[in-house]
Amino acid sequence: MKKIYTGIRGTCDFTPSKSHSFNKITQTARQIFKVFGYEEVILPLLEEEDLFKRGVGETTEIVERQMFKIQGKSIVLRPEGTAQVVRYYLENSLYKQSDFHKFSYIGAMFRGERPQKGRLRQFHHIGAEAIGSDSFYLDGEIIALSMKILEGIGIQEKQLLINSLGCLEDKEKFSQKIKKILNSKKDKLCPDCQRRLERNPLRVLDCKRQECRGVVTSLNLGKESLCSNCKSRFENLLFTLDNLKIKYTQTPYLVRGLDYYTNVVFEIISGSLGSQDALGAGGRYNNLVRDLGGPDIPGIGFSLGIERILLALKTSQEEKKIKVFIITASETLLGAGFKILQRLREQNLACDMDYCGKSLKGQLRYACKRGAKYVVILGEEEWKEQCVMLKDMEKSVQEKVKIEDLAALLKKYMIL
Ligand SMILES: [Zn+2]
Ligand SMILES: [Zn+2]
């Protein structure tokens, strides 16, 4: 027996019905991006490793243990889109052309970690980045955009968690505060977090381990670490969201696992996903452009996970794939049937026929299985008269139709 190959763990094949859902999701997203004025970029799957080390942060979970590195090279499969879009923006000096840019992207992302439920090695993101403005109205737009896409896709049950990390100084202050509080509970944290506490205390708040979640959620974190400027900025954003009729839950321990975030961070969760419950997330990154060697330009963005969305949708929106099926009564009529098939396809009618030599009954059964609404039966008698029998499968009625009238008639029925 020859070996049967299986797909790589943590990757998945999209079946036709899953692909159909995938395309519907991305079509919806593209339509909404257009309405909001975001232009799509298609960027490579490969990037320099250092881009993410510097952009996302050396001690973040992504960079520390999730990068998918090409062996022997300092190249990785991209783990996320934001640092990459900023790389593209800086490489082309886009800030010289205009002081404000809005991009969207849809594509595969990669993580090299051990795969688990809801966490894949290859997954897909829908994302947007707006670079060049620090306006809280833009924060409102980005959040509204991400919610609108999920709504358009049909995700009813979702919750928006929101927090502000403040400016760099506030973030540092918050980080020191966390360090001080957590130091007294150090023995309750996982070994990774005990180490993180020294180098990057905020990352402890991201830890997904049960013991650390318990410690973190019991902390009484307020907004005292925000300076007056960041505080009023955040209040203005919340007011903007109120006006947009977007409901949110303020979540003081929400920090997101990437070092580049400042000010607003948000996460959209769905109860139906369990512990891996985030449908998407985003936030402001006012220092990232500068950290990656560019001028001091603020930005904000988000990404949504398509696989997570598919999990949350549960009900796969299956489409009736084929509208018309051609059935031939004998092998000698195959050529004539094939010709009719091409004629209907030229008129953009979704149709098919059997290529496996099935009996008349077998062909009918197969047509049902394919979800055909109409069946065109070609028999010896009909062929002599240049006619076919056209059967409506739902109404279970049939009529004799001239071959030359068939396409026009089917089109008429499809509209009715
Ligand atoms: Zn501040
Ligand atoms: Zn931990």
Side-chain angles (χ1 to χ4, degrees):
M1 271 274 271
K2 276 191 186 149
K3 179 187 169 181
I4 300 291
Y5 293 95
T6 53
I8 304 292
R9 263 190 81 197
T11 65
C12 70
D13 300 325
F14 279 63
T15 59
S17 89
K18 212 168 164 190
S19 299
H20 174 68
S21 303
F22 183 99
N23 289 334
K24 268 185 97 167
I25 290 169
T26 52
Q27 268 162 24
T28 304
R30 285 193 171 101
Q31 269 161 17
I32 298 170
F33 280 139
K34 211 170 165 186
V35 172
F36 279 68
Y38 287 73
E39 291 184 302
E40 184 164 348
V41 285
I42 301 175
L43 301 177
L45 302 182
L46 300 174
E47 287 286 346
E48 218 177 302
E49 183 183 16
D50 208 41
L51 170 70
F52 300 103
K53 279 190 175 168
R54 251 169 75 196
V56 177
E58 292 254 22
T59 52
T60 56
E61 181 106 0
I62 292 182
V63 170
E64 249 184 359
R65 60 176 71 190
Q66 298 177 337
M67 292 255 261
F68 215 120
K69 201 173 161 172
I70 308 290
Q71 226 177 1
K73 299 220 164 35
S74 54
I75 293 174
V76 293
L77 289 168
R78 62 179 184 189
E80 60 104 50
T82 304
Q84 180 177 47
V85 169
V86 173
R87 190 272 300 154
Y88 156 78
Y89 171 82
L90 286 174
E91 185 177 351
N92 296 285
S93 307
L94 296 180
Y95 50 88
K96 288 180 184 160
Q97 293 170 19
S98 158
D99 52 9
F100 187 51
H101 290 268
K102 300 209 278 195
F103 302 111
S104 68
Y105 59 86
I106 295 173
M109 303 289 161
F110 303 85
R111 301 276 161 96
E113 68 187 326
R114 197 170 54 87
Q116 44 184 300
K117 190 181 170 273
R119 285 200 165 211
L120 295 163
R121 280 179 166 161
Q122 178 178 333
F123 52 97
H124 297 82
H125 268 174
I126 295 171
E129 313 292 342
I131 309 173
S133 161
D134 191 30
S135 165
F136 61 81
Y137 288 115
L138 181 62
D139 298 7
E141 172 177 298
I142 279 284
I143 293 172
L145 173 59
S146 58
M147 296 294 272
K148 184 109 187 163
I149 290 173
L150 289 172
E151 227 172 83
I153 289 165
I155 305 269
Q156 311 296 347
E157 190 203 337
K158 57 187 175 303
Q159 196 188 352
L160 171 66
L161 308 180
I162 193 167
N163 187 29
S164 174
L165 303 170
C167 53
L168 267 192
E169 293 76 49
D170 301 343
K171 214 174 144 183
E172 183 53 34
K173 227 163 73 188
F174 183 56
S175 179
Q176 289 310 319
K177 184 178 147 190
I178 295 287
K179 193 171 175 178
K180 219 165 126 191
I181 307 176
L182 285 179
N183 250 325
S184 61
K185 306 174 192 256
K186 200 171 173 177
D187 50 327
K188 289 189 188 139
L189 299 174
C190 74
D192 279 339
C193 283
Q194 296 192 8
R195 188 175 44 82
R196 284 182 190 129
L197 197 52
E198 283 313 308
R199 291 179 66 194
N200 196 343
L202 285 186
R203 294 287 71 87
V204 177
L205 304 193
D206 293 324
C207 187
K208 294 274 186 280
R209 309 252 315 232
Q210 205 67 48
E211 61 263 43
C212 302
R213 298 297 311 152
V215 173
V216 167
T217 45
S218 73
L219 300 177
N220 196 8
L221 301 170
K223 285 195 286 294
E224 304 89 75
S225 46
L226 296 187
C227 68
S228 62
N229 191 17
C230 291
K231 210 167 164 178
S232 73
R233 198 182 180 290
F234 190 49
E235 277 160 8
N236 282 330
L237 169 61
L238 297 183
F239 184 66
T240 308
L241 293 177
D242 289 337
N243 279 334
L244 288 166
K245 305 232 177 330
I246 294 174
K247 287 200 194 92
Y248 51 83
T249 308
Q250 290 194 53
T251 315
Y253 53 83
L254 179 73
V255 291
R256 302 293 311 148
L258 306 107
D259 276 353
Y260 54 62
Y261 285 129
T262 53
N263 291 102
V264 61
V265 285
F266 63 95
E267 198 170 280
I268 305 163
I269 59 169
S270 160
S272 55
L273 290 183
S275 65
Q276 300 295 338
D277 55 3
L279 293 166
R284 187 162 269 291
Y285 46 83
N286 284 357
N287 304 296
L288 179 60
V289 177
R290 199 186 56 201
D291 287 350
L292 291 177
D296 202 358
I297 295 175
I300 181 168
F302 73 85
S303 65
L304 304 171
I306 297 184
E307 282 79 357
R308 300 276 178 88
I309 292 172
L310 285 170
L311 272 180
L313 276 175
K314 273 185 248 157
T315 48
S316 67
Q317 306 136 310
E318 236 183 290
E319 178 197 37
K320 289 263 183 227
K321 297 134 208 158
I322 248 2
K323 292 273 169 26
V324 186
F325 205 86
I326 318 276
I327 289 177
T328 48
S330 67
E331 223 185 301
T332 48
L333 291 169
L334 264 178
F338 191 67
K339 220 168 173 175
I340 296 172
L341 183 72
Q342 306 317 317
R343 254 177 137 161
L344 298 184
R345 282 178 178 167
E346 270 165 30
Q347 297 298 312
N348 287 325
L349 287 159
C351 54
D352 213 347
M353 66 185 279
D354 168 55
Y355 292 109
C356 301
K358 289 187 183 64
S359 67
L360 196 63
K361 240 183 177 165
Q363 291 178 63
L364 254 168
R365 253 201 311 270
Y366 184 54
C368 282
K369 204 171 145 196
R370 296 282 304 273
K373 199 165 169 344
Y374 296 96
V375 167
V376 173
I377 305 164
L378 181 59
E380 299 287 357
E381 289 307 308
E382 287 90 1
W383 177 237
K384 276 181 202 150
E385 299 171 48
Q386 285 294 296
C387 284
V388 290
M389 292 305 287
L390 175 61
K391 186 172 179 184
D392 184 322
M393 298 296 274
E394 278 161 27
K395 294 186 189 135
S396 208
V397 288
Q398 56 180 29
E399 60 183 317
K400 205 178 196 178
V401 176
K402 279 219 157 299
I403 290 174
E404 57 181 38
D405 299 335
L406 182 63
L409 198 62
L410 276 169
K411 274 194 155 172
K412 197 177 119 197
Y413 286 167
M414 304 266 185
I415 299 164
L416 290 176

